[in-house]
Amino acid sequence: MFRSVLLRGSGLAAFRGVSRSFTSRSLSNLVRTTKGGPSVGLKRVIPAVNVSRFHTNAILKQSTIASKENGESSDSSAGAKPSRSKPLLNSSKVVGYWLVGTSALVFGIVVLGGLTRLTESGLSITEWKPVAGTLPPLNQKEWEEEFTKYKESPEFKQLNSHITLDEFKFIFFMEWIHRLWGRAIGAVFILPAVYFAVSRKTSPRVNKRLFGLAALLGLQGFIGWWMVKSGLDEEQLKERKSKPTVSQYRLTTHLGTAFLLYMGMMWTGLEILREAKWVKKPSEALVLFSKLDNPMLTPLRRSAFGLLALTFVTAMSGGLVAGLDAGLIYNTFPKMGEDWTPSKRELMDENFARKEDKSDLVWRNMLENPATVQLNHRILAITTFFTVFAFHMYCNKNKAIVPKNVVHTGHALMGLVTLQAALGISTLIYLVPIPLASAHQAGALALLTGALVFASQLRKPRAAIKILTAGLYTQQQKAGSKILSEASKLTK
């Protein structure tokens, strides 16, 4: 169990001393002391500070004073006990583990959703019942009723009129498990989020994120049905001149929302765990802070977010490929057929334009022409590969300024992008077999995870966390000096 440490007495005095003069120079001085001298002995003499959460009314007040650089402070809060209404600086480490674990469930449902798509099971349930739909048919009569509903769908009439009830049960269960998993994620996320907020294990800034993620999770359920409905509506199918399948736009929106939900959970969880580690080991944190504050890392930090965006866009282009079954054409690599690219006439086919003046020719071919969509995905994928390679080489060449954990993540990222490229090429060449295609989709999210971790490790710590960590280090030094002084008296 984690206990909140009240900032009062000598501890608060230490924070005040730090906050009055907390600048880059003072942080650098603190970092120098960690490279040798007393701090080496401190690690052996002083136990690690067991901190998970801090009442931060005093810290935030002092950080405001420090930012004004006037040196003024108030002593009125020195002996006051922070009430339960005071804000918290950082959330409990348990919350971080919970968020990372919940993001793993989102990872799983993305893979399951891909399998549902690949087995053409997504249109087997023709109704959306958020509560009543939790249970599958339980007897023969209910199964026959569900099968009768499916027989009225365009997919059955045009593609699956030959399937039996037993074959229907398979595709039904694929979609049912997918929906049930989504409901489970809702329960696993929302109920603990309420508990953590009520029990004050989360800071106000994290509570805002949790509220946003909960809203996005609810929206994702509506988007899922909105996507399925596009494959059941005969009018939409006629307008798209499509076989019974979901709209590639809605499929990509559904996939993108799942990716954003995953990224939000993972980013917030990693941030909480990282700050908890800094609070537990302030001397090591100060060394890392000095590296992250290096101006030479600024271009790499900004580029890391660009890489994250590029990886996301590449994955979304893969959603369009899946929605259009574009992977079933041009099953060669690196060429597309006998040429490097299809002909201009094929890439900009006028048949895809719906307006008489052809003003929508370009964007409709970019998003609806399978040949053009596959070419776009290839270009983005190759760009992502060489961008990751450039990051990998840069980190290896600049190990002196790049933090060690970032270098290691760069290595892992290079391995992930290489594996993902191999899976993509294999999926294409072997005509999209289900195991390879599913692995390729999972690889896209794994690569995005690597890019997210890479970007999060380069992010600078918050000012309040810097003050807190420096204050804890000062406390450790004072406590260590006192212990060493008492020990020297005993040895005399």
Side-chain angles (χ1 to χ4, degrees):
M1 297 295 294
F2 297 96
R3 295 181 301 172
S4 299
V5 178
L6 303 182
L7 301 181
R8 60 189 181 199
S10 60
L12 180 58
F15 281 107
R16 283 178 172 166
V18 173
S19 61
R20 287 194 188 100
S21 59
F22 189 75
T23 62
S24 297
R25 180 177 298 177
S26 62
L27 177 58
S28 299
N29 293 335
L30 283 171
V31 171
R32 287 193 197 100
T33 64
T34 66
K35 296 181 179 179
S39 65
V40 176
L42 288 181
K43 291 183 180 180
R44 299 173 183 171
V45 178
I46 305 176
V49 180
N50 185 14
V51 179
S52 66
R53 300 186 296 156
F54 282 87
H55 291 279
T56 59
N57 55 313
I59 295 179
L60 297 178
K61 183 176 180 180
Q62 295 303 323
S63 65
T64 303
I65 294 172
S67 66
K68 294 180 180 179
E69 298 183 353
N70 59 13
E72 298 177 3
S73 63
S74 173
D75 295 331
S76 61
S77 60
K81 295 183 180 180
S83 67
R84 290 183 59 84
S85 63
K86 299 297 174 63
L88 301 176
L89 177 61
N90 60 327
S91 302
S92 168
K93 188 164 62 173
V94 174
V95 179
Y97 286 125
W98 161 69
L99 281 169
V100 173
T102 308
S103 71
L105 293 177
V106 178
F107 190 110
I109 200 172
V110 169
V111 176
L112 181 59
L115 286 172
T116 303
R117 166 71 183 172
L118 290 166
T119 56
E120 298 183 350
S121 305
L123 299 177
S124 59
I125 302 179
T126 58
E127 296 177 324
W128 188 48
K129 298 178 180 179
V131 178
T134 303
L135 295 177
L138 301 176
N139 53 55
Q140 185 67 19
K141 181 181 178 181
E142 291 181 358
W143 274 114
E144 290 177 353
E145 290 176 354
E146 201 67 40
F147 192 30
T148 300
K149 295 176 185 177
Y150 177 65
K151 288 179 179 180
E152 299 299 321
S153 69
E155 183 178 67
F156 179 85
K157 294 176 181 178
Q158 298 182 36
L159 299 177
N160 288 344
S161 58
H162 61 283
I163 68 170
T164 64
L165 178 60
D166 288 337
E167 291 171 325
F168 169 72
K169 288 180 179 181
F170 171 77
I171 61 174
F172 180 94
F173 271 119
M174 287 295 297
E175 175 64 10
W176 177 78
I177 293 173
H178 180 64
R179 296 190 186 191
L180 184 66
W181 197 313
R183 293 182 177 97
I185 291 175
V188 170
F189 181 80
I190 293 175
L191 295 179
V194 173
Y195 167 75
F196 289 137
V198 172
S199 60
R200 289 180 50 76
K201 292 182 181 295
T202 49
S203 65
R205 65 193 301 272
V206 170
N207 285 335
K208 292 178 182 178
R209 292 190 189 181
L210 295 183
F211 179 80
L213 290 171
L216 187 62
L217 182 59
L219 178 64
Q220 176 70 334
F222 286 101
I223 292 176
W225 173 245
W226 177 64
M227 176 191 68
V228 170
K229 192 175 180 180
S230 67
L232 299 173
D233 190 335
E234 295 187 10
E235 293 299 323
Q236 288 191 40
L237 295 174
K238 289 179 181 179
E239 182 181 352
R240 300 195 331 249
K241 300 177 183 179
S242 170
K243 66 177 183 179
T245 185
V246 299
S247 164
Q248 76 274 19
Y249 297 114
R250 300 189 184 189
L251 173 67
T252 305
T253 302
H254 189 53
L255 180 66
T257 307
F259 273 44
L260 290 174
L261 184 65
Y262 173 82
M263 292 167 64
M265 291 178 179
M266 180 64 73
W267 182 275
T268 305
L270 291 177
E271 181 183 83
I272 292 172
L273 294 176
R274 184 173 70 156
E275 291 183 351
K277 182 179 180 181
W278 290 341
V279 168
K280 185 177 181 181
K281 300 179 179 180
S283 61
E284 295 180 8
L286 292 175
V287 175
L288 179 61
F289 292 173
S290 67
K291 287 190 173 183
L292 293 176
D293 283 333
N294 189 339
M296 296 181 68
L297 272 186
T298 301
L300 180 63
R301 182 180 297 108
R302 293 174 179 172
S303 300
F305 285 98
L307 174 62
L308 182 61
L310 175 61
T311 307
F312 180 82
V313 172
T314 302
M316 293 306 99
S317 72
L320 291 174
V321 171
L324 293 169
D325 291 327
L328 297 175
I329 60 173
Y330 289 114
N331 302 102
T332 56
F333 189 87
K335 292 185 176 182
M336 297 180 72
E338 297 181 355
D339 300 314
W340 291 102
T341 62
S343 65
K344 182 179 180 181
R345 180 181 178 182
E346 183 177 358
L347 292 175
M348 289 295 154
D349 192 340
E350 293 186 357
N351 291 322
F352 287 94
R354 297 184 188 178
K355 295 183 178 180
E356 293 183 2
D357 60 357
K358 308 295 181 183
S359 59
D360 59 344
L361 175 67
V362 175
W363 73 265
R364 285 201 180 275
N365 273 278
M366 294 288 287
L367 300 175
E368 297 179 6
N369 185 338
T372 311
V373 167
Q374 188 190 121
L375 177 62
N376 292 340
H377 186 59
R378 288 184 183 222
I379 293 172
L380 286 169
I382 293 171
T383 303
T384 301
F385 179 87
F386 284 106
T387 302
V388 172
F389 178 73
F391 273 85
H392 176 253
M393 296 302 295
Y394 180 88
C395 290
N396 283 340
K397 188 177 180 180
N398 297 276
K399 291 182 179 179
I401 63 171
V402 179
K404 186 179 294 185
N405 60 339
V406 177
V407 175
H408 292 165
T409 303
H411 294 162
L413 200 55
M414 190 67 224
L416 286 171
V417 76
T418 303
L419 175 62
Q420 178 66 348
L423 286 171
I425 295 170
S426 300
T427 301
L428 190 68
I429 292 175
Y430 291 102
L431 297 174
V432 196
I434 291 177
L436 280 177
S438 180
H440 184 52
Q441 182 168 351
L445 195 49
L447 181 60
L448 186 72
T449 304
L452 185 144
V453 172
F454 188 81
S456 69
Q457 290 175 339
L458 284 167
R459 190 182 182 192
K460 288 184 178 181
R462 295 183 287 139
I465 288 292
K466 284 184 177 181
I467 295 174
L468 173 59
T469 307
L472 285 172
Y473 177 71
T474 301
Q475 280 186 295
Q476 284 190 348
Q477 279 192 314
K478 290 183 177 180
S481 298
K482 184 176 181 180
I483 293 174
L484 292 174
S485 176
E486 294 294 333
S488 63
K489 291 179 181 179
L490 294 174
T491 56
K492 289 181 179 180

